[in-house]
């Protein structure tokens, strides 16, 4: 780490931008995709909850994760409360160690995100099993790996609008 140049300062993050990111992610859940392609796609809403809970913990916490989870349950026509429960628990886990997670580099964060997304998927499987549904299969746990691989890209994309552009 070089101390001869200052770290980049970011503009304040607006609540509208956070709302826009969740709106886009929820709309992407509604896109009709070819059969079989959804087993590779990570839960973008969960990734955004984790991202904002790490970087904006005062704005996105357990309560907002619950509300967003209920909206996700409605948009996916899944078991009502399934996403809300999973998102609440993972947001709570992030809040326990948020001060440490902010200090991690993107690779370390990606490993933590992998564990949190896997926990998210496990909670959803357990809720489905408790409601009497059959086990989906082990392939259901592959999208968190892809989500962890996409974590650095998500970080870079969400920071683009807030970088100061020097002339």
């Amino acid at each position: 780490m070089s101390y001869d140049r200052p770290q980049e300062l970011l503009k304040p993050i607006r609540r509208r931008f956070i709302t826009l990111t969740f709106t886009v992610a929820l709309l992407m859940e509604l896109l009709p995709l070819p059969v079989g392609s959804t087993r590779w796609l990570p839960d973008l809403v969960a990734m955004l909850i984790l991202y904002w809970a790490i970087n904006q913990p005062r704005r996105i916490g357990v309560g907002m994760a619950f509300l967003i989870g209920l909206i996700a349950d409605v948009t996916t026509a899944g078991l009502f409360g399934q996403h809300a429960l999973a998102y609440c628990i993972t947001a709570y886990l992030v809040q326990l160690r948020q001060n440490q997670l902010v200090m991690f580099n993107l690779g370390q964060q990606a490993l933590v995100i992998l564990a949190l997304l896997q926990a998210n998927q496990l909670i959803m499987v357990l809720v489905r099993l408790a409601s009497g549904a059959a086990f989906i299969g082990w392939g259901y746990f592959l999208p968190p790996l892809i989500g962890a691989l996409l974590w650095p890209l998500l970080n870079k994309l969400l920071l683009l609008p807030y970088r100061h552009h020097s002339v």
Side-chain angles (χ1 to χ4, degrees):
M1 183 163 103
S2 175
Y3 291 106
D4 56 345
R5 63 186 166 118
Q7 292 290 332
E8 181 177 26
L9 296 176
L10 298 175
K11 300 175 190 173
I13 295 182
R14 297 176 187 241
R15 186 165 288 152
R16 284 184 290 170
F17 181 67
I18 295 172
T19 304
L20 176 68
T21 60
F22 283 115
T23 303
V24 169
L26 289 166
L27 288 175
M28 288 178 69
E29 293 280 332
L30 296 173
L31 288 177
L33 297 172
V35 176
S37 65
T38 56
R39 64 181 158 172
W40 298 98
L41 297 176
D43 188 351
L44 188 58
V45 177
M47 290 179 66
L48 285 173
I49 287 173
L50 295 174
Y51 176 82
W52 291 120
I54 291 170
N55 295 302
Q56 293 290 314
R58 292 185 179 162
R59 292 190 178 168
I60 301 296
V62 176
M64 284 301 289
F66 181 77
L67 289 174
I68 294 166
L70 288 178
I71 295 168
D73 287 328
V74 170
T75 59
T76 60
L79 188 60
F80 195 67
Q82 171 185 345
H83 287 90
L85 177 66
Y87 294 166
C88 275
I89 292 173
T90 52
Y92 175 74
L93 293 173
V94 165
Q95 284 185 337
L96 287 177
R97 299 288 181 198
Q98 187 271 338
N99 290 334
Q100 292 173 336
L101 291 172
V102 171
M103 301 304 290
F104 287 175
N105 65 35
L106 290 178
Q108 292 168 325
Q109 278 186 6
L111 291 174
V112 173
I113 295 303
L114 173 63
L116 290 169
L117 289 175
Q118 288 289 5
N120 194 37
Q121 295 291 85
L122 180 64
I123 292 165
M124 287 203 262
V125 164
L126 291 175
V127 168
R128 286 184 184 152
L129 290 174
S131 68
F135 180 64
I136 297 172
W138 295 108
Y140 188 69
F141 294 97
L142 182 62
L145 178 63
I146 295 168
L149 292 173
L150 292 174
W151 182 254
L153 178 64
L154 179 73
N155 270 277
K156 299 294 182 189
L157 286 175
L158 291 177
L159 284 176
L160 276 177
Y162 291 97
R163 295 189 187 273
H164 284 289
H165 297 289
S166 57
V167 178

